[in-house]
């Protein structure tokens, strides 16, 4: 069976161009061939089991091969798999749009196929709103330092991760960056709240100088995932909302990673008590089953496109817009949230392992230990270059799949993870730190 693993690995290296990867590194770094999934676990061709500590890139909510998700999809597959959404509609897309509207307080759900396309849609809609509203100078976008909003060219323009964007700089639009409220960057003695307010003051200064040229401010609410689970105080979002209102700039909440319960509430913005002008959803929306994204907005913004003139409409499309199977998966996700009281269970799971995580947090090699909903993260203060791939490999041999971001170790498991499994991950990390893995 080990042979089967080797075969798939070799064939994958030859035929598949893996994402976000210098392929040459796979001469030494292993690719993990996954034969099947079961709950929070991935299983290779030799029967080795790995706890999916990254929810398969932050998308899986209720486990792999979930029987309820499977049944819903099978039923949908036998009814309608897909139909063009221009000029046509269908039951899953209508029901999903209604439910997302109720849950977000926004409406007019527009669909794309992945997170980056949701970012593109929100940016284009905001830009066109101002065009349609007689304010053509408002064309600029603002994002936070260390922001991540996807990697197509428009999304990459508001993404601040030089590793991903520097190569393409000549293709990207100039956009504004403002100070991140990430509390790891606070001065000694400065509270997370005080730091967030200081960051909000920087946003205000920018708005004061340039609001006339700005269409929108895009932000990952409460936690900048790709920045290394950079968490911040919700007061920042409250100030950002107030400033966007005062200066006439749209607020785009990119809940692609943080939505669907990840931060402890269904949507992260709820914890700040704010409603954005646009919300971008993807990743967990289908429980990790199928690619789907959605952008919802306000009635006022929608109304600015509603006109006899065709070109004032939002003439944007993707072939798989509103895919029936993906929408049905999303409906089942929302049903599971309701039926199983998922948010309350997640809350009690996190509370049950709080002492275990506190022990890890007290480790002398650990800094900035933090937890929000179903995310646990910390920095390893003495990590050497290459730490992320060494920890990845070491954890893998102990049955845990983790992908640190530089020296930030994080755990973001499917919600079906058990208390014992969480404790197992913390114990594994404790052992690796004790052994001096750098
Ligand atoms: C993953 C992510 C995206 C991009 O989504 P893709 O489906 O990978 O294109 C955008 N914004 C945030 C916050 C993300 O985490």
């Amino acid at each position: 069976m080990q042979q089967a693993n080797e075969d798939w690995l070799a064939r994958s290296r030859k035929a598949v161009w893996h994402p976000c990867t210098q392929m040459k590194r796979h001469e030494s770094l292993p690719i993990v061939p996954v034969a099947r999934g079961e709950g929070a676990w991935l299983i290779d061709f030799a029967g080795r089991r790995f706890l999916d500590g990254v929810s398969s890139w932050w998308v899986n909510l209720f486990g792999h091969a979930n029987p309820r998700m499977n049944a819903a999809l099978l039923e949908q597959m036998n009814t309608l798999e897909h139909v063009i959404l221009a000029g046509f509609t269908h039951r899953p897309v209508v029901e999903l749009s209604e439910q997302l509207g109720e849950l977000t307080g926004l409406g007019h759900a527009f669909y794309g196929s992945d997170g980056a396309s949701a970012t593109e849609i929100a940016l284009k809609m905001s830009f066109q709103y101002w065009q349609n509203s007689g304010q053509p100078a408002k064309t600029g976008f603002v994002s936070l330092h260390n922001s991540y909003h996807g990697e197509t060219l428009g999304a990459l323009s508001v993404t601040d991760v030089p590793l991903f964007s520097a190569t393409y700089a000549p293709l990207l639009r100039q956009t504004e960056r403002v100070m991140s409220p990430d509390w790891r960057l606070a001065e000694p003695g400065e509270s997370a709240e005080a730091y967030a307010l200081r960051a909000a003051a920087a946003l205000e200064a920018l708005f004061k100088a340039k609001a006339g040229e700005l269409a929108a401010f895009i932000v990952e609410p409460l936690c900048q995932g790709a920045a290394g689970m950079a968490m911040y105080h919700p007061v920042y979002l409250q100030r950002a909302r107030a400033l966007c209102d005062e200066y006439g700039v749209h607020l785009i909440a990119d809940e692609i990673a943080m939505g669907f319960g990840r931060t402890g509430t269904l949507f992260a913005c709820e914890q700040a008590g704010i409603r954005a002008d646009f919300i971008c959803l993807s990743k967990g929306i289908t429980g990790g089953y199928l690619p789907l994204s959605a952008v919802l907005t306000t009635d006022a913004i929608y109304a600015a496109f509603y006109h006899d003139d065709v070109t004032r409409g939002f003439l944007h499309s993707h072939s798989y817009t509103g895919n029936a199977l993906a929408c049905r998966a999303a409906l089942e996700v929302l049903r599971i949230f309701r039926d199983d009281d998922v948010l309350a269970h997640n809350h009690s799971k996190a509370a049950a392992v709080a002492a275990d995580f506190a022990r890890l947090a007290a480790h002398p090699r650990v800094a900035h230990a933090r937890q929000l909903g179903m995310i646990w993260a910390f920095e390893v203060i003495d990590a050497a270059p290459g730490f992320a791939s060494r920890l990845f490999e070491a954890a893998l041999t102990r049955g845990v799949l983790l992908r640190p971001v530089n020296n930030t170790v994080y755990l973001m498991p499917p919600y079906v993870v058990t208390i014992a499994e969480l404790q197992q991950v913390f114990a594994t990390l404790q052992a690796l730190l004790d052994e001096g893995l750098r």
Side-chain angles (χ1 to χ4, degrees):
M1 289 313 262
Q2 187 53 38
Q3 189 52 42
N5 270 339
E6 301 294 329
D7 287 351
W8 286 115
L9 206 149
R11 285 170 65 182
S12 195
R13 267 180 54 190
K14 241 188 176 149
V16 182
W17 198 334
H18 290 268
C20 202
T21 299
Q22 169 48 266
M23 288 299 291
K24 191 160 193 291
R25 290 199 59 210
H26 282 311
E27 287 178 6
S28 54
L29 191 71
I31 295 173
V32 186
V34 176
R36 60 195 185 86
E38 192 182 281
W41 295 84
L42 297 167
I43 301 152
D44 77 2
F45 290 87
R48 286 185 308 172
R49 296 164 62 84
F50 309 104
L51 185 79
D52 188 353
V54 298
S55 294
S56 288
W57 243 353
W58 315 353
V59 299
N60 191 290
L61 300 188
F62 304 128
H64 298 278
N66 180 295
R68 285 179 65 178
M69 296 292 300
N70 293 1
L73 281 169
L74 273 173
E75 190 198 60
Q76 186 61 43
M77 215 180 292
N78 287 320
T79 312
L80 175 71
E81 78 300 332
H82 179 71
V83 62
I84 174 177
L85 198 67
F88 296 79
T89 195
H90 55 80
R91 181 174 171 170
V93 80
V94 171
E95 290 181 351
L96 180 62
S97 305
E98 289 171 351
Q99 292 184 26
L100 289 177
E102 250 168 60
L103 292 166
T104 60
L106 295 167
H108 317 286
F110 194 100
Y111 292 91
S113 321
D114 48 45
S117 65
T119 299
E120 301 288 345
I121 289 162
L123 297 178
K124 284 178 72 178
M125 274 185 180
S126 173
F127 170 89
Q128 192 177 347
Y129 169 87
W130 297 112
Q131 302 294 307
N132 285 356
S133 307
Q135 299 192 64
K138 289 174 74 67
T139 61
F141 298 111
V142 186
S143 63
L144 295 180
H145 280 295
N146 301 320
S147 56
Y148 182 92
H149 300 291
E151 294 172 56
T152 52
L153 293 175
L156 201 54
S157 296
V158 289
T159 286
D160 185 38
V161 183
L163 180 65
F164 301 151
S165 61
T167 305
Y168 310 103
L171 303 180
L172 303 180
R173 197 159 184 277
Q174 279 298 314
T175 59
E176 301 286 343
R177 296 278 183 278
V178 284
M179 176 178 166
S180 164
D182 172 3
W183 65 254
R184 295 175 301 178
L185 307 172
E187 295 295 328
E190 189 178 28
S191 71
E193 183 172 7
Y195 189 70
L197 288 169
R198 190 145 68 84
L203 182 67
E204 178 163 26
L206 175 73
F207 280 4
K208 225 174 220 155
K210 294 203 172 157
E213 304 152 36
L214 297 176
F217 171 46
I218 181 166
V219 64
E220 296 166 77
L222 294 189
C223 176
Q224 295 179 274
M229 302 302 153
M231 298 176 188
Y232 61 86
H233 196 283
V235 74
Y236 183 79
L237 295 171
Q238 291 160 0
R239 283 297 297 146
R241 175 69 277 178
L243 291 169
C244 283
D245 287 339
E246 185 181 343
Y247 288 91
V249 176
H250 290 145
L251 179 62
I252 303 173
D254 175 352
E255 296 239 16
I256 289 166
M258 294 304 138
F260 296 96
R262 191 47 77 176
T263 65
T265 43
L266 192 60
F267 298 110
C269 282
E270 293 168 28
Q271 291 180 51
I274 63 144
R275 203 185 65 178
D277 300 300
F278 297 90
I279 186 168
C280 300
L281 305 173
S282 189
K283 291 207 164 111
I285 192 171
T286 62
Y289 265 68
L290 287 161
L292 179 73
S293 62
V295 176
L296 288 92
T297 189
T298 62
D299 292 344
I301 290 172
Y302 179 76
F305 292 74
Y306 202 83
H307 200 269
D308 290 325
D309 179 355
V310 172
T311 64
R312 282 184 59 154
F314 190 57
L315 305 185
H316 178 103
S317 58
H318 299 282
S319 315
Y320 282 97
T321 296
N323 176 262
L325 278 169
C327 289
R328 181 62 189 270
L331 282 168
E332 194 60 26
V333 162
L334 293 177
R335 184 168 297 138
I336 293 173
F337 268 109
R338 286 193 302 270
D339 290 356
D340 294 1
D341 211 357
V342 173
L343 295 174
H345 281 116
N346 284 355
H347 188 77
S348 29
K349 264 179 216 174
V353 299
D356 301 89
F357 187 61
R359 259 196 305 285
L360 195 54
H363 197 283
R365 300 183 55 205
V366 166
H368 301 305
R370 53 199 183 274
Q371 178 262 334
L372 178 69
M374 291 295 274
I375 308 169
W376 290 263
F378 59 84
E379 273 75 54
V380 174
I381 52 182
D382 57 355
F387 166 80
S389 45
R390 277 192 300 282
L391 187 119
F392 165 75
E393 284 195 72
L396 210 55
T397 61
R398 292 164 205 232
V400 184
L401 174 56
L402 296 170
R403 284 172 54 98
V405 179
N406 302 317
N407 68 329
T408 302
V409 178
Y410 73 87
L411 173 65
M412 199 156 153
Y415 304 162
V416 293
V417 73
T418 65
I419 291 167
E421 287 163 349
L422 288 169
Q423 287 166 334
Q424 179 197 332
V425 177
F426 295 152
T428 302
L429 286 169
Q430 183 96 31
L432 292 173
L433 290 171
D434 286 344
E435 287 163 26
L437 181 120
R438 296 180 64 231

